[in-house]
Amino acid sequence: MSKTLERWGSKRAFILAVTGAAVGLGNIWRFPYVAGENGGAAFLLIYVAFVILLGIPVMMAEILIGRAGRRGPMQALGALAAEAGASRHWRWLGLFGAFTVFCILSFYSVVSGWSIEFLVASINGNFRGASAAEIGAGFDAFLANPGLLIFNHTLFLLMTMVVVAAGVAKGLERLNNLLMPLLYGLLLLLAAYAATTSGFGTALSWLFLPSLEALTPSVVLHAMGHAFFTLAVGACALMAYGAYMPDEQSLPRAAVAVAVLDISVALLAGIAIFSVVFSQGMDPADGPGLMFVTLPIAFSELPWGSLWLSVFFLLLLLATWTSAINLAEPMVATLQGFGWRRSVSTAVVALSVWSIGLLSALSFSTLADFRPLLGRNVFELVSSIPPDIFLPLGGLLIAIFAAWVLPRSAAAAALGVGERGYLCWRNVVRWVSIPLTLMVLLSGLL
Ligand code: TRP
């Protein structure tokens, strides 16, 4: 990561790479279940507001730092801080980001493993003709089987680390080009199917008509965390991608394009999933299994259901794969920054994420009652605290660095939209994003 890096092949390739990082389990699995547990429309409204007010401006801050530094996160932060006459300690922000993605990847890999299992099951036609109750019971039985969970977690992590070890840029470009339109098309089809079900109306009002009593500080905190999570912002992971960004590209335009795509994928998935929830009389607050139970039910009622379901899980798996690769990159880059070889760094990261991931995999069976903190088990802890607390905290520091520490000329050049555009962005970050993040973090914690 030390010398000048290769650049993405084109502007489109950069947008696709960032979209690949953004679109993943967060949109299709995490959004519906967290929204389900947090009152639906109230959560959605706040989350979209946070994407606009925090997510997009901070995403620009993060990519801008990478682009200005053209190095791995820690070195970029250290070098830019030194140039600005600020403390070299800013580089520890890169390490904090690496720690955050470490926690996230440990459960992300376990849940991605569920997609592998469901892909295989749908290819085998296991859901054909199954009732909603049978599909739900099948999922619970699967979670209670630690061996299977660990096997799939291992497989997914291996799949991810092979690409990371080889270096990210090249393979991703081509994969995303093909993958995103297909995934989008299939979700459109699903949403169209959802419109024919009896739960469609209820799903729409539940998703889009907020009731204000539902707006508690904890809902607001979850919504903020999810805005960062779904955009892949706050852990210096996009910083690493910014380092490869072509010189002539407009950063704000790329960030807005990614955010629009990301939100619309979540909305399509939400419409499809909640229509099934309400048609089947299920509980929206059913937790992490929500998507894995509802979508097989939806597809099993469609002609060629098993085929569509297999294609869906395949696409979902590929989307989570590109996200996981992005999650792994800051850790590998950090170790490389300490002078380690890429292959060794990747192996060390893989092994540590794998072992901590075991605790998540076992949280549904053997370790279900091991609740070290806040009465939550390991899976519940790593899937809530790093997204809800660490990402906003990281994002806050990234925003402060980009909007207050970086010299104006360097930041404006890296943003790529001229002086006026730069000042506009800086005002939003200084006077909206930073205070808002701080306020929500504090009120959520207290
Ligand atoms: N955004 C991805 C998703 O929605 C997850 C992700 C990828 C991520 N890279 C990240 C989250 C970096 C935080 C930081 O599935």
Side-chain angles (χ1 to χ4, degrees):
M1 276 314 234
S2 53
K3 279 176 250 105
T4 308
L5 298 152
E6 56 183 320
R7 300 289 153 87
W8 296 101
S10 66
K11 295 181 190 180
R12 185 177 149 80
F14 176 78
I15 293 185
L16 281 167
V18 179
T19 309
V23 176
L25 286 177
N27 311 64
I28 296 169
W29 165 74
R30 194 174 192 272
F31 164 69
Y33 103 76
V34 179
E37 289 176 339
N38 287 280
F43 176 87
L44 175 63
L45 181 77
I46 302 293
Y47 141 71
V48 172
F50 282 154
V51 165
I52 296 167
L53 298 175
L54 315 173
I56 296 175
V58 179
M59 180 194 268
M60 291 193 238
E62 186 172 328
I63 299 177
L64 175 160
I65 296 171
R67 196 185 201 184
R70 294 265 185 233
R71 266 164 286 212
M74 259 188 109
Q75 301 92 303
L77 285 162
L80 292 170
E83 279 168 38
S87 161
R88 298 258 309 162
H89 288 312
W90 276 105
R91 70 183 190 282
W92 299 114
L93 177 54
L95 197 63
F96 177 61
F99 174 69
T100 305
V101 288
F102 174 76
C103 302
I104 293 180
L105 187 56
S106 77
F107 79 85
Y108 204 91
S109 164
V110 171
V111 179
S112 304
W114 302 356
S115 309
I116 300 184
E117 184 69 22
F118 272 63
L119 171 61
V120 175
S122 44
I123 291 176
N124 288 335
N126 292 2
F127 301 109
R128 202 174 296 144
S131 70
E134 284 165 347
I135 291 175
F139 182 71
D140 293 340
F142 166 60
L143 284 192
N145 185 335
L148 257 185
L149 257 61
I150 292 173
F151 173 76
N152 287 303
H153 160 58
T154 311
L155 201 63
F156 181 81
L157 207 57
L158 271 177
M159 226 171 101
T160 302
M161 291 306 177
V162 165
V163 179
V164 174
V168 282
K170 284 281 152 50
L172 277 182
E173 272 180 41
R174 258 176 271 141
L175 188 65
N176 282 322
N177 238 322
L178 190 73
L179 169 69
M180 285 301 150
L182 283 178
L183 184 65
Y184 210 89
L186 201 62
L187 283 170
L188 272 175
L189 180 94
L190 255 191
Y193 159 75
T196 70
T197 64
S198 61
F200 184 63
T202 321
L204 287 190
S205 57
W206 193 80
L207 266 175
F208 297 108
L209 295 179
S211 72
L212 290 178
E213 316 83 90
L215 275 185
T216 64
S218 116
V219 169
V220 176
L221 182 74
H222 290 309
M224 177 170 77
H226 189 70
F228 281 99
F229 184 89
T230 190
L231 292 178
V233 168
C236 306
L238 293 183
M239 207 179 279
Y241 282 11
Y244 306 94
M245 192 172 177
D247 282 321
E248 65 287 355
Q249 187 158 17
S250 152
L251 180 40
R253 216 176 280 175
V256 171
V258 171
V260 168
L261 226 113
D262 190 75
I263 290 184
S264 55
V265 169
L267 284 182
L268 289 175
I271 291 172
I273 287 170
F274 287 114
S275 297
V276 177
V277 166
F278 292 115
S279 315
Q280 300 285 340
M282 294 169 60
D283 180 4
D286 246 359
L290 197 63
M291 182 268 286
F292 287 95
V293 176
T294 46
L295 290 190
I297 296 176
F299 279 109
S300 77
E301 291 176 352
L302 283 173
W304 300 87
S306 294
L307 177 69
W308 288 120
L309 191 61
S310 315
V311 174
F312 172 80
F313 276 116
L314 180 67
L315 293 174
L316 176 66
L317 190 62
L318 294 174
T320 57
W321 193 25
T322 53
S323 294
I325 290 165
N326 175 256
L327 282 163
E329 183 61 24
M331 292 182 268
V332 173
T334 302
L335 291 185
Q336 270 191 300
F338 292 130
W340 298 27
R341 288 219 319 269
R342 188 164 181 98
S343 51
V344 179
S345 312
T346 313
V348 169
V349 168
L351 213 66
S352 6
V353 171
W354 182 79
S355 6
I356 298 300
L358 292 181
L359 298 177
S360 280
L362 294 175
S363 291
F364 300 92
S365 50
T366 330
L367 294 181
D369 295 321
F370 173 55
R371 298 179 178 274
L373 207 71
L374 302 169
R376 300 183 202 172
N377 65 33
V378 175
F379 177 83
E380 289 161 353
L381 282 172
V382 288
S383 61
S384 63
I385 309 254
D388 288 346
I389 312 282
F390 297 174
L391 287 178
L393 192 59
L396 180 69
L397 294 170
I398 288 168
I400 294 175
F401 185 81
W404 289 102
V405 177
L406 261 193
R408 184 176 171 146
S409 54
L415 195 63
V417 279
E419 191 70 8
R420 286 229 343 254
Y422 165 73
L423 286 176
C424 178
W425 164 82
R426 199 180 72 176
N427 280 332
V428 171
V429 174
R430 280 188 175 182
W431 311 117
V432 180
S433 312
I434 293 176
L436 192 60
T437 311
L438 201 60
M439 233 172 62
V440 177
L441 259 180
L442 290 177
S443 73
L445 288 177
L446 298 178

